[in-house]
Amino acid sequence: MCLTQKTGEMEQILEVKNLSVLRVEKTESISILNDINFMVKKGEMFCLVGESGSGKTTLALSIIKLLPKSFKIASGEILINGKNILEINEQSMRNIRGKDISIIFQDPSAYLDPLFTIGSHLQESYHGKNENKKELISLALQEVGLDSEVQTVYPHQLSGGQQQRVMIAMALINKPSIIIADEPTTALDVLTTRQVIDLLNAIRLKHNPAIFFITHDLELAMKTGTRIGIMYRGHIVEIFKPGREKPSHPYANILLGTIEGKDTILELNFKKNTMDSKQMQQKCPFFDMCVEKEARCKKTIPFVWCDSETGIRCLKNGRNTQV
Amino acid sequence: MKKLVLKRLLQLIPMLIGMSFVSFIIIQSSPGDYFAQMKMNPEISPETIESMKVNFGLDRPILVQYLLWLKNMCKLDFGVSFAYHIPVRTLIKFRLKNTICLAIFSLVISWVIALPLAVFAGYREGTFIDKIFSMLAYLSISLPSFFVALLFVYFISKTNLLPLGGTRSIFEVDASSFALFKDYMEHLLVPGLVLCLVNVGGLFRLMKNNFIETFNTPYVLAAWARGVPRNSVIFKHALRNALNPMFTILGMEIGGILNGAALTEIICGWPGMGSLILEAVLSHDLYLVMGSLVISGFLLIVGNLIGDILIAFFDPRIRIS
Ligand SMILES: Nc1ncnc2c1ncn2[C@@H]1O[C@H](COP(=O)(O)OP(=O)(O)OP(=O)(O)O)[C@@H](O)[C@H]1O
Ligand SMILES: [Mg+2]
């Protein structure tokens, strides 16, 4: 039922193929991302869910080619609108950033330069022609529900929610085809979180950019995502469509259990994980904690696509299709 | 902003009073005084010395002496130097001018050299060229100023490249002001370069660390992510933020010009405050010591104030709170 090759091309904004990222230290290199495969299509809200340290931010930074110096992309392809950005130079990449792809970060106050006004931030974010700059900036602010007067103000004079709205205004000002949102609501309270999510969704429905939404909150992802990727220790272990099917990877099931209140499974999660990166590449990353493991799980498990949109990295890949 | 300056200037008064009181007590209760040296001189009669003491009010209790001094201070009368027999104010005015010229020269040159190099090296952190600069900076930091000064003096005296000691070699009445200026600058060059050399390494290192730190901040990452051109990221976001802590350093350097330059001035024979204070302390020239202390305290506070004003001016988080 599952295919090793995915079929059916749709409008793919972002496609990541066999991406592996290492962190190079003095004596050794540690595998941070391992054979990542996924794509994000036009206008969809793709949610990436994973626990802290699973490599979500690393993946986001890989996509805009802004990894810290110690990180190296070992292999793979990252296609934005069909162009492999790993093969283009820094100057061309700068033309893509903010224009075709933009990103919103976790803690907005840290990502706004304290010495410059909101207006100055917006102006340098805009890459288009100068004539309609002013109107477009006001329009972008209006779109995120902020007054045009906010331009004269400095970042520290705004609340966290307002700052995040400014980040969103900057992200959408050039009408990018994809917006990456890396845990954009983690630093915000529940109500502001709701507002920011609604805003992102409204923008998606109006301008049709794809949104690559990173979160550690599966419940939130289930509510808002059109597709969900589950990440575990540098691997995407499953991609599924909420509403159409339940995830079937054992780790995804554990995550689902936590939001359904099955605390028996939670204990498993706290068990110390003792695998090092070399072993991790050889066997299933979830091997030590998996309750359903078999002897054959001790070899490399590839990610396989079940259809054009969903896939899994598990030998037990008979997908549960009831809603 | 105005309030900040006013508040700080008002704070200056009790600080200066407290500092001068403590210094006065310490100087006057330390063993020996200027007149003890005079007594060794058989040509001066004990009566003369006694009448001098009365003239200076030094026969009164210490507290009264201090209050008298303070009263005169308020009229900007610093008293008369025992050794020079001229008003302390006149003495200090001449010497202070030289020290300030020296300080401004070395400050400007070392900042103009250190800051751009720091940004250059910080942007290329870990490369060969960065390592070379770091090594030179380390050398500059580890060499003591008196040693560099002695080396310079030795070198100049061997080669006669520049005049040594004093502030002028031209004494003609009809010398043009340009010739006088050039002459003054030539005298200034030796102590000025010594101070530069000692100062530049530390500044470089501070600025480089600031730059690297801001270059790795989230808002710089976000600027890259928005597709901001490289020069804007470096000079607008990273550099501007890296400069902020340097304003405090600048204030501290302005405040410390008397201490910072003293040794160099003495070794290079530059007639600044350094040698004046040293002589005054050694000979117990009370009012000269007190006058110099007040000036140095004043500079310290004003220097820090300048630093604070600059920060408040350039950092909206402080300006608009
Ligand atoms: N600057 C860094 N130096 C060293 N290791 C790092 C650095 N940044 C990330 N890592 C490592 O890379 C791995 C992936 O980190 P990453 O930040 O991508 O995780 P994440 O899923 O975004 O976590 P979180 O939910 O906490 O944001 C982690 O195991 C972490 O230890
Ligand atoms: Mg993260």
Side-chain angles (χ1 to χ4, degrees), chain B residues 110 137 139-141 143 148 152 192-202:
Chain B
S110 51
L139 201 68
S140 149
I141 293 164
L143 285 178
V148 178
F152 259 67
L193 286 182
V194 170
L195 285 177
C196 255
L197 216 66
V198 183
N199 197 14
V200 81

Side-chain angles (χ1 to χ4, degrees), chain A residues 56-57 106 182-183:
Chain A
K56 305 183 295 293
T57 300
Q106 178 169 335
D182 184 6
E183 305 195 38

Side-chain angles (χ1 to χ4, degrees), chain B residues 3 20-21 45 56 61 80 99 110 115 122 125 136 138 140 144 152 170 197 224 230 237 265 312 320:
Chain B
K3 246 168 89 185
S20 62
F21 180 70
S45 72
F56 283 115
V80 173
T99 289
S110 51
L115 297 201
E125 189 197 356
L136 292 175
Y138 190 72
S140 149
F152 259 67
I170 302 177
L197 216 66
W224 288 122
R230 188 177 59 188
H237 297 288
E265 282 183 353
I320 313 161

Side-chain angles (χ1 to χ4, degrees), chain A residues 61 64 66 69 90 94-95 97-99 101-103 105 109-116 120-122 124-125 127 154 156-157 167 170 174, chain B residues 122-125 217-230 232 236-238 240-242 244 314-321:
Chain A
L61 294 180
I64 51 169
L66 283 176
K69 270 185 196 156
E90 178 59 22
R94 238 171 263 147
N95 293 331
R97 285 190 206 119
K99 211 165 155 216
I101 184 162
S102 52
I103 183 163
F105 297 95
S109 64
Y111 288 89
L112 290 165
D113 189 329
L115 303 185
F116 293 92
S120 157
H121 276 88
L122 282 159
E124 70 172 9
S125 305
H127 296 316
Y154 288 92
H156 73 277
Q157 295 170 281
M167 294 296 288
M170 291 196 291
N174 296 306
Chain B
Y123 182 65
R124 290 162 182 78
E125 189 197 356
T217 51
Y219 52 79
V220 166
L221 175 72
W224 288 122
R226 274 180 274 137
V228 174
R230 188 177 59 188
S232 287
K236 197 171 150 191
H237 297 288
R240 274 286 285 104
N241 280 281
N244 256 9
F314 285 108
D315 193 337
R317 283 165 298 184
I318 296 172
R319 187 160 24 103
I320 313 161
S321 50

